[in-house]
Amino acid sequence: MNGSNEKTKTKIKAIPEPTLRRLPLYYQYLKKIQAEKNSQYISCTQIGNELNILPIQVRKDLEITEASGKPKLGYGVKGLIGNIEDFLGWNNTTEAYLVGVGHLGSALLGYHGFKEYGLNIIAAFDSDESKIGTETHGKMVFPVSKLPEMIRRMGIKIGILTVPAYCAQHLTDLMVEAGVHAIWNFSPVKIMVPPGIIVQHENLASSLVVLSKKLSMSIKTDRQ
Amino acid sequence: MNGSNEKTKTKIKAIPEPTLRRLPLYYQYLKKIQAEKNSQYISCTQIGNELNILPIQVRKDLEITEASGKPKLGYGVKGLIGNIEDFLGWNNTTEAYLVGVGHLGSALLGYHGFKEYGLNIIAAFDSDESKIGTETHGKMVFPVSKLPEMIRRMGIKIGILTVPAYCAQHLTDLMVEAGVHAIWNFSPVKIMVPPGIIVQHENLASSLVVLSKKLSMSIKTDRQ
DNA sequence: ATAATATCGATATAATATTATCGATAAATA
DNA sequence: TATTTATCGATAATATTATATCGATATTAT
């Protein structure tokens, strides 16, 4: 346990997921600072105060992007932005397909912020005849029947799933079969995938639960 | 430190946020099981296998809802659903206003699942003249100028913020001033609130980062 | 030029969350 | 009826994440 021969070869350091989730926050703030041209340098203290995160936490998070700062000054804003972009792979975009052009699906198609984060939704798919052939926020809608072939031909690695519960598993199977490596699942059910396939399940109910539980607990505390 | 007089009075046990986030998953699965009428009882092992969570974790999570099961059989499905509903306060709905009827805002207005989770969005607000007075998915859209008065009159505690970055802080201030206790923030910026006000920041960039980092790491591993 | 200060970077500690262990128990089976 | 088995419930061990401490250092002020 004295850290000499454990995994020195490939230097795989596990990245804490909470850190991963905070990096975009730092990034957004840094971009704002850069736009305001307030200063060349920024410290963990400043970032932390602005985002309500302890400065030590900020420093540890930035450390994993291999950023380095100067005592008394802090980090160079420009360099730091570059470090985060490199670390998160935001310099080369990944292309994705979206399946299910309902309310949420078209909202995601209309969100142009994804490009900034290295994701480009290049087309959408639906089974509704009235949607096929039309454009939603500039993205063509194709029939689901063409999904597997197009995934294969374009080498698509990420599928975004915004369909109702009843067909989520079927479309997952289609996509995985065709070669997708990761699925961003906005459908309200857990989907099953073979080992090695990555699923990120976006569950609004979970977030709502956290919010409302905190709320009910804060009200309870007030009255004590 | 020998645990005899620490907080014995009010018995405040901290609820782990990860547990809170998993409860809705169990709930959704239990509802499915109930609909299928497969059996009266269900075990942690079954739930865990289905959701890819260790049975021990499931048991610990369910424990905080004060559910109790029988050896060899497991938990009664119906009772368990009730326990989760009670614990999360899903039996009495909370009313909320939504501010910002853009793509995402109207997608949320159209999502009827919230009612099941104790949230009822009763109206929406926007500053766009062309939207005011219309209905979106059955919810009236009012001018932002009426927001403070209506929050006060209806005693609204939760505000859902689906507006662009530039006006997020202003609308937050309006809502907090009018008496809102919690804000579910879908805008792409961090908002500042006075102490005691709860903010749940929904950040798609964060989730996307987790997904794409896992993807890039899995590809790297494949090639080794 | 010297002293004071803010900050980084490394290391240590504490808090939180997950996973393992094991005895008790109710049902199923021999 | 006795034995086996699957599961709960409680407690212990481990892993992960967050926070604190402190020396080193570059800038600023004296």
mmCIF file with all atom_site columns, all heavy atoms in Angstrom, chain C residues 14 16 22-23:
data_model
loop_
_atom_site.group_PDB
_atom_site.id
_atom_site.type_symbol
_atom_site.label_atom_id
_atom_site.label_alt_id
_atom_site.label_comp_id
_atom_site.label_asym_id
_atom_site.label_entity_id
_atom_site.label_seq_id
_atom_site.pdbx_PDB_ins_code
_atom_site.Cartn_x
_atom_site.Cartn_y
_atom_site.Cartn_z
_atom_site.occupancy
_atom_site.B_iso_or_equiv
_atom_site.pdbx_formal_charge
_atom_site.auth_seq_id
_atom_site.auth_comp_id
_atom_site.auth_asym_id
_atom_site.auth_atom_id
_atom_site.pdbx_PDB_model_num
ATOM 1  P P     . DA C 1 14 ? -9.429  13.647  11.992 1.00 0.00 ? 14 DA C P     1
ATOM 2  O OP1   . DA C 1 14 ? -9.677  14.400  13.234 1.00 0.00 ? 14 DA C OP1   1
ATOM 3  O OP2   . DA C 1 14 ? -9.150  12.190  12.026 1.00 0.00 ? 14 DA C OP2   1
ATOM 4  O "O5'" . DA C 1 14 ? -10.668 13.902  11.035 1.00 0.00 ? 14 DA C "O5'" 1
ATOM 5  C "C5'" . DA C 1 14 ? -10.985 15.245  10.672 1.00 0.00 ? 14 DA C "C5'" 1
ATOM 6  C "C4'" . DA C 1 14 ? -12.174 15.205  9.742  1.00 0.00 ? 14 DA C "C4'" 1
ATOM 7  O "O4'" . DA C 1 14 ? -11.797 14.593  8.494  1.00 0.00 ? 14 DA C "O4'" 1
ATOM 8  C "C3'" . DA C 1 14 ? -13.348 14.387  10.282 1.00 0.00 ? 14 DA C "C3'" 1
ATOM 9  O "O3'" . DA C 1 14 ? -14.488 15.183  10.076 1.00 0.00 ? 14 DA C "O3'" 1
ATOM 10 C "C2'" . DA C 1 14 ? -13.346 13.115  9.423  1.00 0.00 ? 14 DA C "C2'" 1
ATOM 11 C "C1'" . DA C 1 14 ? -12.772 13.644  8.121  1.00 0.00 ? 14 DA C "C1'" 1
ATOM 12 N N9    . DA C 1 14 ? -12.079 12.677  7.272  1.00 0.00 ? 14 DA C N9    1
ATOM 13 C C8    . DA C 1 14 ? -11.068 11.828  7.616  1.00 0.00 ? 14 DA C C8    1
ATOM 14 N N7    . DA C 1 14 ? -10.612 11.096  6.613  1.00 0.00 ? 14 DA C N7    1
ATOM 15 C C5    . DA C 1 14 ? -11.388 11.505  5.534  1.00 0.00 ? 14 DA C C5    1
ATOM 16 C C6    . DA C 1 14 ? -11.423 11.113  4.179  1.00 0.00 ? 14 DA C C6    1
ATOM 17 N N6    . DA C 1 14 ? -10.606 10.192  3.666  1.00 0.00 ? 14 DA C N6    1
ATOM 18 N N1    . DA C 1 14 ? -12.314 11.721  3.370  1.00 0.00 ? 14 DA C N1    1
ATOM 19 C C2    . DA C 1 14 ? -13.121 12.649  3.898  1.00 0.00 ? 14 DA C C2    1
ATOM 20 N N3    . DA C 1 14 ? -13.191 13.105  5.149  1.00 0.00 ? 14 DA C N3    1
ATOM 21 C C4    . DA C 1 14 ? -12.295 12.480  5.919  1.00 0.00 ? 14 DA C C4    1
ATOM 22 P P     . DT C 1 16 ? -21.187 14.110  6.431  1.00 0.00 ? 16 DT C P     1
ATOM 23 O OP1   . DT C 1 16 ? -21.952 15.293  6.023  1.00 0.00 ? 16 DT C OP1   1
ATOM 24 O OP2   . DT C 1 16 ? -21.486 13.389  7.701  1.00 0.00 ? 16 DT C OP2   1
ATOM 25 O "O5'" . DT C 1 16 ? -21.236 13.063  5.251  1.00 0.00 ? 16 DT C "O5'" 1
ATOM 26 C "C5'" . DT C 1 16 ? -20.810 13.468  3.959  1.00 0.00 ? 16 DT C "C5'" 1
ATOM 27 C "C4'" . DT C 1 16 ? -20.690 12.249  3.083  1.00 0.00 ? 16 DT C "C4'" 1
ATOM 28 O "O4'" . DT C 1 16 ? -19.636 11.390  3.543  1.00 0.00 ? 16 DT C "O4'" 1
ATOM 29 C "C3'" . DT C 1 16 ? -21.942 11.377  3.061  1.00 0.00 ? 16 DT C "C3'" 1
ATOM 30 O "O3'" . DT C 1 16 ? -22.429 11.464  1.754  1.00 0.00 ? 16 DT C "O3'" 1
ATOM 31 C "C2'" . DT C 1 16 ? -21.448 9.966   3.434  1.00 0.00 ? 16 DT C "C2'" 1
ATOM 32 C "C1'" . DT C 1 16 ? -19.957 10.072  3.160  1.00 0.00 ? 16 DT C "C1'" 1
ATOM 33 N N1    . DT C 1 16 ? -19.045 9.190   3.912  1.00 0.00 ? 16 DT C N1    1
ATOM 34 C C2    . DT C 1 16 ? -18.236 8.326   3.200  1.00 0.00 ? 16 DT C C2    1
ATOM 35 O O2    . DT C 1 16 ? -18.268 8.244   1.987  1.00 0.00 ? 16 DT C O2    1
ATOM 36 N N3    . DT C 1 16 ? -17.390 7.561   3.968  1.00 0.00 ? 16 DT C N3    1
ATOM 37 C C4    . DT C 1 16 ? -17.263 7.583   5.339  1.00 0.00 ? 16 DT C C4    1
ATOM 38 O O4    . DT C 1 16 ? -16.466 6.852   5.900  1.00 0.00 ? 16 DT C O4    1
ATOM 39 C C5    . DT C 1 16 ? -18.133 8.512   6.029  1.00 0.00 ? 16 DT C C5    1
ATOM 40 C C7    . DT C 1 16 ? -18.050 8.625   7.515  1.00 0.00 ? 16 DT C C7    1
ATOM 41 C C6    . DT C 1 16 ? -18.971 9.267   5.290  1.00 0.00 ? 16 DT C C6    1
ATOM 42 P P     . DC C 1 22 ? -18.201 -13.774 8.162  1.00 0.00 ? 22 DC C P     1
ATOM 43 O OP1   . DC C 1 22 ? -17.026 -14.029 9.018  1.00 0.00 ? 22 DC C OP1   1
ATOM 44 O OP2   . DC C 1 22 ? -18.481 -14.631 6.986  1.00 0.00 ? 22 DC C OP2   1
ATOM 45 O "O5'" . DC C 1 22 ? -19.506 -13.783 9.075  1.00 0.00 ? 22 DC C "O5'" 1
ATOM 46 C "C5'" . DC C 1 22 ? -19.731 -12.714 9.994  1.00 0.00 ? 22 DC C "C5'" 1
ATOM 47 C "C4'" . DC C 1 22 ? -21.130 -12.831 10.574 1.00 0.00 ? 22 DC C "C4'" 1
ATOM 48 O "O4'" . DC C 1 22 ? -22.057 -12.088 9.747  1.00 0.00 ? 22 DC C "O4'" 1
ATOM 49 C "C3'" . DC C 1 22 ? -21.677 -14.272 10.604 1.00 0.00 ? 22 DC C "C3'" 1
ATOM 50 O "O3'" . DC C 1 22 ? -22.387 -14.487 11.800 1.00 0.00 ? 22 DC C "O3'" 1
ATOM 51 C "C2'" . DC C 1 22 ? -22.611 -14.311 9.402  1.00 0.00 ? 22 DC C "C2'" 1
ATOM 52 C "C1'" . DC C 1 22 ? -23.176 -12.894 9.481  1.00 0.00 ? 22 DC C "C1'" 1
ATOM 53 N N1    . DC C 1 22 ? -23.847 -12.426 8.254  1.00 0.00 ? 22 DC C N1    1
ATOM 54 C C2    . DC C 1 22 ? -24.923 -11.532 8.357  1.00 0.00 ? 22 DC C C2    1
ATOM 55 O O2    . DC C 1 22 ? -25.258 -11.152 9.485  1.00 0.00 ? 22 DC C O2    1
ATOM 56 N N3    . DC C 1 22 ? -25.549 -11.107 7.237  1.00 0.00 ? 22 DC C N3    1
ATOM 57 C C4    . DC C 1 22 ? -25.144 -11.549 6.041  1.00 0.00 ? 22 DC C C4    1
ATOM 58 N N4    . DC C 1 22 ? -25.791 -11.109 4.965  1.00 0.00 ? 22 DC C N4    1
ATOM 59 C C5    . DC C 1 22 ? -24.042 -12.460 5.905  1.00 0.00 ? 22 DC C C5    1
ATOM 60 C C6    . DC C 1 22 ? -23.431 -12.865 7.024  1.00 0.00 ? 22 DC C C6    1
ATOM 61 P P     . DG C 1 23 ? -22.536 -15.971 12.347 1.00 0.00 ? 23 DG C P     1
ATOM 62 O OP1   . DG C 1 23 ? -21.317 -16.242 13.121 1.00 0.00 ? 23 DG C OP1   1
ATOM 63 O OP2   . DG C 1 23 ? -22.968 -16.884 11.265 1.00 0.00 ? 23 DG C OP2   1
ATOM 64 O "O5'" . DG C 1 23 ? -23.751 -15.796 13.364 1.00 0.00 ? 23 DG C "O5'" 1
ATOM 65 C "C5'" . DG C 1 23 ? -23.823 -14.654 14.227 1.00 0.00 ? 23 DG C "C5'" 1
ATOM 66 C "C4'" . DG C 1 23 ? -25.266 -14.183 14.306 1.00 0.00 ? 23 DG C "C4'" 1
ATOM 67 O "O4'" . DG C 1 23 ? -25.668 -13.670 13.005 1.00 0.00 ? 23 DG C "O4'" 1
ATOM 68 C "C3'" . DG C 1 23 ? -26.259 -15.285 14.659 1.00 0.00 ? 23 DG C "C3'" 1
ATOM 69 O "O3'" . DG C 1 23 ? -27.235 -14.760 15.551 1.00 0.00 ? 23 DG C "O3'" 1
ATOM 70 C "C2'" . DG C 1 23 ? -26.874 -15.653 13.308 1.00 0.00 ? 23 DG C "C2'" 1
ATOM 71 C "C1'" . DG C 1 23 ? -26.859 -14.313 12.595 1.00 0.00 ? 23 DG C "C1'" 1
ATOM 72 N N9    . DG C 1 23 ? -26.851 -14.387 11.135 1.00 0.00 ? 23 DG C N9    1
ATOM 73 C C8    . DG C 1 23 ? -25.965 -15.082 10.338 1.00 0.00 ? 23 DG C C8    1
ATOM 74 N N7    . DG C 1 23 ? -26.204 -14.949 9.061  1.00 0.00 ? 23 DG C N7    1
ATOM 75 C C5    . DG C 1 23 ? -27.305 -14.117 9.009  1.00 0.00 ? 23 DG C C5    1
ATOM 76 C C6    . DG C 1 23 ? -28.028 -13.601 7.886  1.00 0.00 ? 23 DG C C6    1
ATOM 77 O O6    . DG C 1 23 ? -27.812 -13.808 6.688  1.00 0.00 ? 23 DG C O6    1
ATOM 78 N N1    . DG C 1 23 ? -29.080 -12.794 8.280  1.00 0.00 ? 23 DG C N1    1
ATOM 79 C C2    . DG C 1 23 ? -29.401 -12.503 9.581  1.00 0.00 ? 23 DG C C2    1
ATOM 80 N N2    . DG C 1 23 ? -30.454 -11.709 9.760  1.00 0.00 ? 23 DG C N2    1
ATOM 81 N N3    . DG C 1 23 ? -28.753 -12.960 10.630 1.00 0.00 ? 23 DG C N3    1
ATOM 82 C C4    . DG C 1 23 ? -27.712 -13.757 10.274 1.00 0.00 ? 23 DG C C4    1
#
